[in-house]
Amino acid sequence: MRIPGRTVALFASAAALAGALGGCKPPPEGADGKPQYPVHFDTPSARPRTTARALFARGDSGTGVRELQARLRQVQWLNDGPTGEYDDLTEQAVSGFQGKRGLPRTGRVDTVTWQRLVAMTHRPGQWELYLMGGQPAAAPDPRCLTGRVLCVSKTSRTLRWMIDGRTLTTVSVRFGSQYTPTREGVFSIYWKSRHHVSTLYDSPMPYAMFFSGGQAIHYSYDFAAHGYAGGSHGCVNVRDEGAIASLFAQVRNGDRVVVYR
C-alpha cells in the first residue's frame, strides 16, 4: 500500500518528538545487558531541613532584648527586668512560652516565637521598657554645671551627681505621685540620716538626704522590688543601694539639689 509523503513526514515528526521527550525511547542498557533507569526520587527524608532564624539568644543585649523582656512580662512569663541582657531567666521564660504553645523549647527567639509573642502583647511604652531603671539620663540643667550638685531630671527619671560640670554617678530615681508631688527648684542638703524612719508614714528611709521640708533623696525597698509600678510620697527614691550608699558618703550638708523637668 502506498502511503502519502505528507503522512510519512508526520510520523517522522512524531517519532522525533517522542525521542526528544523520552516518551517511547527505551532506556540504555548496562554492562549486564539489563536496562538502566537513571531516575532518582526526592523523598522527604532526603531533603535538607531548615530551621527558623534565631533573632535573640542567650548572651545578646540591647533594645531588642529589652522589648522582648517587656513583652514576656506582659504575658507573665518573666518577673525580672527588663534589663536588656538575655540572661538565664530570659532563656527560661522563652522556653516556657514556647512549650506552652507547642513550639520547640529552644530558649532562643526565632521568627515564629517572636510573631506569636507579638500577636499576644502590645508595644511596650517607655516606662515598661525601663520598669526597673537603666534608662539614659537627660542632659543636665544649666544650674547643675557649677559646684557640687545632685542634678535630678523628672523627664528621664535620673539623678546625676556632678562636681563642676562633670558627672561622677548616674542613678535611676522615682518621684512622688500626683497627690504628693516632688517639689521642683533649687535646694540644699540640710540634714543627712543614715537609718532614718519616716514618722509620718512609719516607713524606712535609709541613706536619707533631706533637701526640702520632709522630702529627701533616699533608698527605697519598694522601688527596688517593684520599679516604676509604684511611687513615693514626694521623696526622690533610689533603687540601687550600693549607689545611694556611695552618694551618702560623698554628699555634704550644703550641697545643692536641682530638681527640674
Side-chain angles (χ1 to χ4, degrees):
M1 179 177 66
R2 184 172 177 275
I3 301 175
R6 184 178 179 183
T7 303
V8 173
L10 288 172
F11 280 139
S13 297
L17 180 61
L21 298 176
C24 298
K25 184 178 180 180
E29 292 184 353
D32 57 359
K34 297 182 179 179
Q36 302 296 305
Y37 295 94
V39 179
H40 302 281
F41 296 95
D42 186 17
T43 61
S45 60
R47 295 172 186 166
R49 294 183 177 180
T50 58
T51 57
R53 183 173 66 91
L55 302 177
F56 306 109
R58 187 168 181 175
D60 289 345
S61 61
T63 56
V65 173
R66 190 176 289 277
E67 180 178 349
L68 164 68
Q69 293 170 328
R71 289 182 183 272
L72 286 169
R73 285 187 68 103
Q74 290 176 26
V75 291
Q76 300 181 348
W77 276 104
L78 187 66
N79 295 319
D80 194 52
T83 63
E85 303 290 333
Y86 203 116
D87 53 13
D88 56 338
L89 294 177
T90 305
E91 186 178 56
Q92 292 168 19
V94 170
S95 178
F97 176 84
Q98 290 169 327
K100 184 72 173 180
R101 277 139 196 94
L103 303 174
R105 298 177 64 118
T106 64
R108 299 185 301 273
V109 179
D110 54 31
T111 52
V112 176
T113 302
W114 178 249
Q115 289 168 1
R116 185 68 63 86
L117 180 60
V118 167
M120 297 177 61
T121 55
H122 63 263
R123 188 179 184 86
Q126 171 77 356
W127 301 116
E128 283 183 280
L129 293 172
Y130 294 98
L131 179 66
M132 306 306 287
Q135 67 274 16
D141 185 278
R143 296 170 292 181
C144 300
L145 300 180
T146 57
R148 298 165 58 88
V149 189
L150 291 160
C151 193
V152 183
S153 168
K154 283 189 170 182
T155 299
S156 64
R157 301 182 181 181
T158 53
L159 179 155
R160 293 174 182 259
W161 168 229
M162 304 182 68
I163 298 180
D164 294 330
R166 185 165 62 96
T167 300
L168 304 182
T169 305
T170 302
V171 295
S172 302
V173 293
R174 189 177 70 171
F175 304 102
S177 65
Q178 176 183 355
Y179 303 103
T180 56
T182 303
R183 289 184 279 274
E184 298 174 25
V186 180
F187 311 92
S188 295
I189 297 295
Y190 70 87
W191 181 37
K192 295 170 61 179
S193 178
R194 166 65 181 84
H195 301 286
H196 193 78
V197 176
S198 171
T199 55
L200 183 60
Y201 300 105
D202 192 29
S203 59
M205 298 169 55
Y207 305 101
M209 296 177 281
F210 288 88
F211 63 88
S212 177
Q215 295 190 355
I217 299 167
H218 68 85
Y219 175 72
S220 168
Y221 296 102
D222 183 76
F223 186 23
H226 303 110
Y228 291 110
S232 76
H233 293 100
C235 289
V236 177
N237 291 164
V238 178
R239 68 180 305 272
D240 185 332
E241 187 171 8
I244 189 66
S246 177
L247 281 175
F248 189 86
Q250 297 175 63
V251 173
R252 310 168 187 162
N253 287 345
D255 287 345
R256 281 184 297 139
V257 177
V258 177
V259 182
Y260 66 101
R261 290 282 176 183

